[in-house]
């Protein structure tokens, strides 16, 4: 009989292989941020509008965990270079036991509670409310992610694709406590800069695939106008509250929606409700490469996926430590 861990892994790799088309884009030279001091939209050359709205729906993952998946499902399979976005909630004894990754990065941002991570190379640590772990799986990592306290442990996990040149790089971590993440506040708008730049402050995180990741909280009546590199794909995920996105006459959109943004150089947001609005704005430079995904493995061709599965089962080419390792 399979263990829970084995059932979990086989449920991942049994997902069908998928291939996605690329998107033609150009790369800009800078990021700029402006805050409006009155109720007018700054003169973006091309304002970004919401072109698709997806409600993140609850589903079970791992061993008893529950996630709201916004990216990586049938109605939003991916958004180059982003592969998956989960808004997770996990309480002991549930969690995400030993499982592998290859070919992309995972970004785990804790909203409440704590998660303890262990991997087969001896890396171990706990991230708590407001902390970020930016893990580049590269050629191979096997790890576990388990709750470190009682009650629901909540956060966001984003999967970011790596280019074909970087998929087999050595794994690495960037881990920031909440105190390490730059933040600022002005006119009822607070931003935490996980990656990229906003309101004159910049994150120390180095992104292999150029990425911005901003956590905004807008108090009632506040507004923000954030520039986004024109060639990048971008989206919003609303954590709590409701807001008006893109144009002032748009209808308010509530929590747990992913908003795919169209082309342009900036996004405007207004909070016209009586409660705070919190959302993340994420953007990234498209890779414009084929995506072939088989559960936790993301490569460019089916042959590379077949090789990855062989490497995992025979503990080679990046998975050597799998022979003798088990989390505890």
């Amino acid at each position: 009989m399979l263990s829970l861990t084995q059932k979990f892994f086989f449920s991942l790799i049994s997902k069908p292989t998928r291939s996605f088309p690329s998107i033609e884009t150009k790369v800009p030279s800078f990021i700029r941020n402006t805050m409006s001091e009155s109720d007018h939209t700054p003169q973006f050359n091309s304002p970004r509008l919401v072109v698709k709205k997806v409600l993140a729906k609850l589903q079970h993952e791992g061993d008893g965990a529950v996630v709201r998946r916004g990216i990586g499902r049938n109605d939003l399979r991916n958004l180059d270079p982003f592969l998956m976005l989960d808004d997770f909630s996990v309480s002991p004894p549930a969690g995400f036991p030993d499982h592998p990754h290859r070919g992309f990065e995972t970004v785990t941002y804790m909203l409440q509670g704590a998660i303890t991570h262990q991997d087969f190379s001896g890396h171990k640590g706990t991230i708590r409310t407001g902390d970020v772990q930016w893990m580049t799986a590269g050629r191979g990592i096997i790890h576990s992610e388990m709750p470190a306290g009682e009650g629901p442990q909540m956060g966001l996990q984003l999967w970011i694709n790596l280019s074909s040149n970087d998929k087999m790089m050595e794994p690495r971590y960037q881990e920031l406590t909440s105190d390490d993440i730059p933040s600022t506040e002005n006119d009822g708008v607070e931003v935490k800069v996980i990656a990229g730049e906003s309101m004159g402050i910049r994150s120390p995180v180095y992104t292999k695939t150029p990425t911005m990741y901003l956590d905004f909280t807008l108090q009632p009546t506040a507004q923000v106008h954030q520039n986004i590199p024109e060639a990048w794909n971008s989206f919003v995920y609303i954590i709590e509250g409701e807001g008006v996105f893109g144009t002032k006459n748009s209808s308010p959109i509530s929590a747990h929606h992913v908003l795919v943004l169209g082309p342009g150089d900036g996004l405007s947001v207004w909070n016209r409700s009586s409660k705070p609005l919190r959302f993340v704005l994420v953007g990234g430079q498209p890779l414009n490469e084929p995506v072939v995904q088989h559960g936790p493995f993301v490569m460019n061709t089916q042959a590379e996926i077949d090789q990855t599965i062989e490497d995992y089962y025979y503990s080679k080419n990046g998975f050597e430590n799998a022979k003798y390792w088990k989390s505890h």
Side-chain angles (χ1 to χ4, degrees):
M1 179 178 294
L2 295 176
S3 68
L4 287 175
T5 297
Q6 289 170 317
K7 289 179 180 178
F8 168 63
F9 173 65
F10 287 129
S11 73
L12 284 174
I13 67 169
S14 64
K15 295 179 181 178
T17 298
R18 305 190 294 266
S19 180
F20 307 103
S22 61
I23 303 171
E24 295 286 335
T25 53
K26 296 183 296 183
V27 181
S29 59
F30 63 92
I31 302 174
R32 183 177 42 124
N33 174 269
T34 57
M35 284 286 294
S36 170
E37 295 182 357
S38 60
D39 194 30
H40 70 275
T41 304
Q43 296 303 306
F44 291 128
N45 292 329
S46 179
R48 290 197 180 226
L49 305 179
V50 176
V51 296
K52 186 169 187 174
K53 180 176 71 171
V54 175
L55 179 62
K57 295 180 180 178
L58 292 172
Q59 64 184 66
H60 292 278
E61 289 291 331
D63 183 2
V66 176
V67 305
R68 291 182 182 270
R69 181 155 297 168
I71 300 175
R73 37 180 300 181
N74 288 337
D75 40 4
L76 186 55
R77 187 59 70 187
N78 73 357
L79 182 67
D80 188 11
F82 307 112
L83 302 163
M84 191 191 80
L85 177 71
D86 278 354
D87 181 347
F88 64 84
S89 177
V90 56
S91 301
F96 305 96
D98 306 1
H99 59 279
H101 295 291
R102 174 181 277 183
F104 61 98
E105 299 182 298
T106 68
V107 182
T108 306
Y109 181 34
M110 291 304 299
L111 302 178
Q112 174 184 307
I115 291 287
T116 294
H117 159 95
Q118 300 179 53
D119 79 14
F120 70 172
S121 296
H123 186 89
K124 183 177 181 179
T126 299
I127 55 172
R128 305 181 187 280
T129 303
D131 298 350
V132 171
Q133 181 196 71
W134 199 292
M135 183 185 83
T136 304
R139 66 198 304 255
I141 277 180
I142 299 177
H143 73 159
S144 65
E145 299 158 291
M146 301 299 288
E150 297 300 319
Q153 318 296 302
M154 302 168 66
L156 303 177
Q157 187 168 96
L158 176 69
W159 289 12
I160 307 174
N161 202 7
L162 289 169
S163 72
S164 56
N165 292 331
D166 296 326
K167 284 187 176 297
M168 294 298 286
M169 67 180 288
E170 289 297 320
R172 69 177 188 188
Y173 293 89
Q174 298 175 85
E175 293 176 326
L176 284 77
T177 68
S178 58
D179 292 337
D180 297 327
I181 297 172
S183 65
T184 190
E185 187 171 356
N186 187 27
D187 291 338
V189 176
E190 180 187 14
V191 64
K192 298 177 182 179
V193 184
I194 297 165
E197 182 179 0
S198 180
M199 291 170 61
I201 58 175
R202 177 179 290 275
S203 168
V205 167
Y206 172 74
T207 60
K208 198 69 178 175
T209 300
T211 304
M212 64 185 295
Y213 192 146
L214 310 175
D215 176 3
F216 283 104
T217 299
L218 275 61
Q219 297 303 318
T221 75
Q223 58 183 294
V224 68
H225 307 282
Q226 170 69 45
N227 273 67
I228 302 168
E230 288 189 59
W232 289 15
N233 288 333
S234 60
F235 70 90
V236 164
Y237 180 70
I238 304 173
I239 298 171
E240 61 178 318
E242 67 173 28
V244 175
F245 296 83
T247 62
K248 289 191 294 183
N249 59 357
S250 298
S251 298
I253 304 175
S254 59
H256 308 309
H257 281 92
V258 172
L259 312 180
V260 178
L261 304 178
D265 59 353
L267 172 69
S268 296
V269 183
W270 296 265
N271 181 6
R272 298 210 173 110
S273 74
S274 60
K275 297 180 180 179
L277 163 66
R278 186 180 183 187
F279 64 92
V280 292
L281 170 60
V282 182
Q285 180 180 318
L287 298 175
N288 299 319
E289 295 181 352
V291 175
V292 182
Q293 179 172 354
H294 198 75
F297 305 138
V298 183
M299 304 300 287
N300 298 108
T301 68
Q302 184 59 47
E304 291 171 341
I305 288 291
D306 294 342
Q307 183 63 56
T308 297
I309 293 171
E310 179 181 316
D311 291 345
Y312 174 74
Y313 278 112
Y314 290 99
S315 300
K316 62 180 185 177
N317 295 332
F319 291 110
E320 287 83 356
N321 291 336
K323 288 182 180 179
Y324 312 107
W325 181 81
K326 186 177 181 181
S327 65
H328 54 83

